Amino acid sequence: MPIHRTLTGRLVVLDDETPGDAHPFVAAYAEALSLPVGVHSGDLHHSPVLEAWGVDLYDTVADDLRPVVLQLAHAAACARPKRDAWWRLTDWLGRVELADWYTSTGFSEVAALISGRQPITDQDSYLDWWPCGVGSHEFWQDFDAAAAQAVTAAGLGPSEHNDAVSWLTESALTDNIAIAGRRESLRNRLDKLAGTTTDHEQIPTIPDRSDLWSLRGMYPEPAWATCKFVEYR
């Protein structure tokens, strides 16, 4: 009887109906859920959002990191309903990852301003707390002023005598940094899910690609520090 060692290390019996063209993460996720690939009817533990995230991450990282990404399928398949996965991902993109970016680039006060906001847990809190949404207009103004002041105080802002730095920053160097909210492929994948109906839930129409695109505007300020480092090297 033919067997196959899966990408997560398990041995499975092959049959004529075993799909051979499934994406590696999709196959690993289905395996971890003990489900046939592409068959999720009535399963509360499968999340199309987590699956899209895993597929995009697998396609983005270097080849030698892909086995690590496949291991994340086990965590994604943990035995809990996934109805809140959309909002947990939204909170991570719009608050946690953004705050981490400002912390890692040396702007802890700005990071505290972001991380101190209310977590997003449902559609109502999304409308109130998405950082670049209509309900966060006042926060955006406070954030923009704080970020600009921090950059100026650190001497990292644009200079008319520093053309190389200006060019690199205006050319969006940070698009090459592994920040999920800035990744075009992830925005496209999540946008396709927005407003769709799965076997067990209605995925909200927000945040969609335009909401994630707006999030890009909150990342540029620390780019001056990154660009100066590149130039000095």
Side-chain angles (χ1 to χ4, degrees):
M1 183 175 293
I3 61 174
H4 170 65
R5 183 176 296 277
T6 69
L7 290 169
T8 57
R10 292 174 60 185
L11 295 176
V12 296
V13 177
L14 297 177
D15 57 45
D16 292 339
E17 297 181 356
T18 301
D21 56 353
H23 187 280
F25 188 87
V26 172
Y29 189 27
E31 176 195 336
L33 286 166
S34 298
L35 294 173
V37 176
V39 179
H40 313 124
S41 180
D43 187 82
L44 298 178
H45 296 159
H46 172 268
S47 169
V49 176
L50 292 179
E51 185 172 273
W53 170 271
V55 168
D56 187 77
L57 186 62
Y58 181 92
D59 290 344
T60 301
V61 301
D63 290 349
D64 59 342
L65 289 177
R66 287 180 170 179
V68 178
V69 176
L70 292 180
Q71 295 302 317
L72 295 178
H74 292 287
C78 64
R80 57 169 291 179
K82 296 302 189 296
R83 288 176 177 152
D84 66 338
W86 186 265
W87 301 117
R88 285 186 284 124
L89 177 59
T90 299
D91 183 62
W92 186 80
L93 289 170
R95 188 175 63 91
V96 179
E97 186 187 39
L98 181 62
D100 286 348
W101 164 242
Y102 274 87
T103 297
S104 65
T105 49
F107 299 94
S108 57
E109 291 184 3
V110 182
L113 187 67
I114 299 166
S115 61
R117 286 171 60 79
Q118 184 75 20
I120 296 172
T121 57
D122 53 27
Q123 184 160 323
D124 289 338
S125 58
Y126 170 83
L127 294 173
D128 291 335
W129 298 100
W130 180 248
C132 43
V134 175
S136 295
H137 177 68
E138 185 176 346
F139 165 76
W140 179 279
Q141 291 180 316
D142 293 341
F143 158 80
D144 195 43
Q149 182 179 4
V151 168
T152 301
L156 296 173
S159 169
E160 59 185 32
H161 303 297
N162 217 339
D163 294 337
V165 173
S166 299
W167 184 87
L168 286 170
T169 304
E170 291 170 4
S171 298
L173 176 68
T174 49
D175 276 345
N176 296 323
I177 298 176
I179 297 173
R182 295 181 62 87
R183 209 157 60 224
E184 180 76 7
S185 56
L186 181 63
R187 289 198 298 272
N188 289 335
R189 282 194 169 96
L190 295 184
D191 188 58
K192 291 178 181 178
L193 291 175
T196 61
T197 301
T198 69
D199 297 322
H200 55 80
E201 67 174 326
Q202 170 72 29
I203 296 179
T205 57
I206 51 177
D208 57 17
R209 189 178 187 280
S210 62
D211 296 299
L212 293 169
W213 180 265
S214 299
L215 191 65
R216 286 169 51 95
M218 303 189 76
Y219 278 95
E221 281 82 358
W224 295 106
T226 305
C227 290
K228 284 193 173 184
F229 174 76
V230 171
E231 185 200 25
Y232 292 155
R233 287 187 65 187

